[in-house]
């Protein structure tokens, strides 16, 4: 069975690629390397013994995508490709809507033309936005509060409409919580461009000496220690969730959303302290004002994914901290040296 991964060289895409290869799937990657590195392909081969087929294309470019679909007999699509920085999306909303929505529309058009009926979408817990509860369940209304989150929310609606119109279509919306960690080999991991926006890559860059200290964005939230609480999920558990979703899409039609999270919330200080303890390194930090747009606390209710997909997380916060650090230590400058 041949699976197309758009954005397959990215952080979550590359980990999913490994999980798919190890589960016996054939993988075709479409990536324009705008936020990823070619070196990932060799690392995937080092880990699995298989180098996935690569198309260095912009997925929004329908002519290139059509060529791919004409050459490969694709059975299902997992769509990761997209811009993902919340702050940048507020500065350049048009670019975010154009890119994230165009790529999805091009895929849907090609899938229709080549009769491909299975679509797994890389969505985000961000679609829930300002909710009236901190434990998110899939049937809550979506209410994203920034352009990045709204691209995910609008794409979910586009995919729901597509599945209503084509009863043979199977769409699975995977709402990720906060992916961290790396493959235990330390060969692939999160490789942000420039100053990291997210907590874990910032911590690992402080640990490796690239940044002086972490800024903890606010310690006056109504949470146990005053710092923000999130549901951190190991990227390899997340990758396994995609394989479960793919299997589900083989036997089911329609459109279903699933939370992919652990169900447990940890604070910023929980992460810092666990990272220090597990890896025996100091993380100097300073408390700064809250970051605009951050919510105090949220985490997943992961019951639907367990009951319907038969998937749950296996890794601990200790694993996440150890694996993030191993990746950073072995690759202090990410993939850039290659
Ligand atoms: C986690 C916690 C911060 C950095 C974002 C997007 C979401 C998804 C994942 C997808 C918060 C605190 C962070 C730092 C800090 N994106 N923090 N100092 O904001 O939950 O989610 O990334 O591609 O859509 O919104 O993740 O890792 O940025 O923050 O104190 O330097 O760490 O305030 O409480 P977030 P994050």
């Amino acid at each position: 069975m041949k699976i197309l991964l758009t954005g397959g060289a990215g952080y979550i895409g590359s980990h999913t690629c490994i999980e798919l290869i190890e589960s016996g799937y054939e993988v075709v990657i479409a990536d324009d390397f705008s936020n990823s590195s070619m070196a990932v392909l060799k690392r995937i081969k080092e880990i699995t013994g298989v180098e996935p087929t690569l198309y260095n294309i912009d997925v929004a470019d329908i002519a290139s995508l059509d060529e791919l679909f004409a050459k490969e007999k694709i059975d299902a699509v997992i769509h990761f490709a997209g811009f993902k920085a919340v702050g940048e999306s507020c500065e350049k909303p048009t670019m975010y809507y154009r890119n994230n929505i165009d790529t999805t529309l091009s895929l849907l058009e090609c899938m229709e033309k080549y009769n491909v009926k299975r679509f797994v979408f890389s969505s985000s817990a961000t679609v829930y936005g300002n909710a009236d509860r901190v434990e998110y369940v899939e049937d809550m209304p979506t209410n994203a509060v920034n352009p990045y989150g709204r691209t995910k929310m609008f794409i979910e609606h586009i995919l729901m409409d597509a599945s209503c119109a084509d009863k043979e279509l199977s769409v699975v919306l995977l709402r990720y919580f906060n992916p961290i960690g790396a493959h235990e080999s330390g060969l692939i991991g999160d490789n942000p461009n420039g100053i990291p926006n997210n907590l874990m890559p910032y911590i690992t860059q402080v640990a490796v000496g690239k940044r002086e200290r972490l800024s903890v964005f606010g310690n006056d939230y109504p949470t146990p220690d005053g710092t923000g609480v999130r549901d951190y999920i190991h990227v390899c558990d997340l990758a396994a969730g995609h394989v479960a979703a793919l299997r589900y899409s083989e036997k089911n039609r329609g459109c279903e959303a699933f939370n992919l999270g652990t169900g447990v919330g940890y604070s910023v200080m929980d992460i810092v302290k666990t990272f220090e303890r597990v890896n025996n390194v100091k993380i100097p930090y300073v408390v700064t004002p809250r970051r605009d747009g951050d919510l105090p606390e949220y985490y997943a209710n992961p019951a639907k994914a367990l009951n319907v997909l038969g998937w749950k997380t296996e890794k601990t916060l200790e694993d996440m901290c150890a694996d993030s650090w191993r990746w950073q230590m072995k690759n202090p400058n990410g993939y850039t040296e290659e």
Side-chain angles (χ1 to χ4, degrees):
M1 195 161 295
K2 201 182 271 188
I3 315 299
L4 172 61
L5 302 194
T6 73
Y11 174 44
I12 302 168
S14 58
H15 287 83
T16 302
C17 180
I18 288 168
E19 194 69 30
L20 287 168
I21 292 171
E22 289 177 345
S23 306
Y25 292 94
E26 218 180 312
V27 175
V28 175
I29 289 179
D31 204 304
D32 68 356
F33 299 97
S34 58
N35 193 22
S36 58
S37 165
M38 288 264 193
V40 171
L41 277 299
K42 294 273 172 305
R43 302 285 180 95
I44 291 173
K45 182 161 187 201
E46 229 178 304
I47 294 167
T48 63
V50 178
E51 188 161 330
T53 308
L54 171 68
Y55 286 77
N56 186 346
I57 58 168
D58 174 355
V59 177
D61 173 13
I62 192 133
S64 315
L65 194 64
D66 190 290
E67 250 176 67
L68 183 159
F69 274 86
K71 277 199 202 131
E72 310 284 344
K73 169 93 195 62
I74 300 296
D75 294 292
V77 173
I78 309 183
H79 181 33
F80 297 103
F83 295 152
K84 60 171 190 176
V86 175
E88 187 184 46
S89 81
C90 298
E91 286 155 27
K92 300 174 182 168
T94 314
M95 184 177 100
Y96 268 66
Y97 288 117
R98 169 67 80 196
N99 181 66
N100 290 5
I101 291 175
D102 266 6
T103 48
T104 311
L105 294 176
S106 297
L107 276 170
L108 281 173
E109 284 176 8
C110 284
M111 286 173 64
E112 195 172 329
K113 180 167 168 192
Y114 291 92
N115 206 31
V116 178
K117 297 294 181 189
R118 296 160 62 197
F119 194 115
V120 176
F121 177 55
S122 177
S123 189
S124 169
T126 305
V127 298
Y128 295 112
N130 259 326
D132 54 9
R133 51 185 292 183
V134 295
E135 189 191 53
Y136 290 171
V137 279
E138 289 86 349
D139 56 8
M140 279 168 31
T142 56
N143 179 28
V145 293
N146 56 60
Y148 161 72
R150 277 192 282 269
T151 67
K152 295 290 182 190
M153 189 175 77
F154 293 154
I155 292 167
E156 287 197 354
H157 283 286
I158 291 169
L159 293 172
M160 283 178 223
D161 289 341
S163 82
C164 283
D166 179 355
K167 298 295 177 219
E168 284 177 41
L169 200 60
S170 176
V171 175
V172 186
L173 311 172
L174 298 179
R175 295 176 177 162
Y176 313 152
F177 283 70
N178 287 53
I180 60 171
H183 191 265
E184 60 179 10
S185 62
L187 286 169
I188 61 168
D190 196 1
N191 184 36
N193 281 331
I195 302 170
N197 295 309
N198 297 118
L199 179 62
M200 185 54 91
Y202 207 103
I203 289 177
T204 61
Q205 291 198 7
V206 170
V208 86
K210 289 181 77 172
R211 318 252 162 229
E212 206 177 329
R213 69 176 76 85
L214 172 72
S215 296
V216 174
F217 298 147
N219 65 354
D220 56 354
Y221 284 109
T223 59
D225 66 15
T227 64
V229 168
R230 296 289 182 275
D231 185 336
Y232 296 91
I233 172 170
H234 196 295
V235 67
C236 293
D237 278 336
L238 192 65
H242 291 75
V243 177
L246 208 53
R247 293 199 174 119
Y248 169 87
S249 75
E250 222 178 317
K251 302 210 171 61
N252 297 275
R253 301 280 169 267
C255 180
E256 285 294 333
F258 296 94
N259 288 339
L260 296 185
T262 65
V264 180
Y266 288 107
S267 73
V268 175
M269 287 319 296
D270 289 333
I271 304 296
V272 171
K273 293 271 148 53
T274 308
F275 191 94
E276 290 185 326
R277 172 171 57 78
V278 168
N279 299 318
N280 201 22
V281 287
K282 274 309 266 180
I283 305 298
Y285 68 86
V286 58
V287 176
T288 64
R290 296 177 178 191
R291 180 172 67 182
D292 266 0
D294 275 353
L295 292 169
E297 174 177 21
Y298 63 84
Y299 48 86
N301 178 324
K304 185 177 175 187
L306 176 62
N307 296 334
V308 180
L309 302 179
W311 168 91
K312 65 176 172 49
T313 59
E314 309 281 347
K315 307 263 191 187
T316 63
L317 185 59
E318 282 76 7
D319 297 330
M320 301 183 216
C321 290
D323 292 342
S324 292
W325 181 222
R326 187 179 309 105
W327 151 253
Q328 182 73 80
M329 260 192 313
K330 287 178 89 164
N331 307 272
N333 297 309
Y335 297 111
T336 48
E337 67 272 30
E338 285 163 56

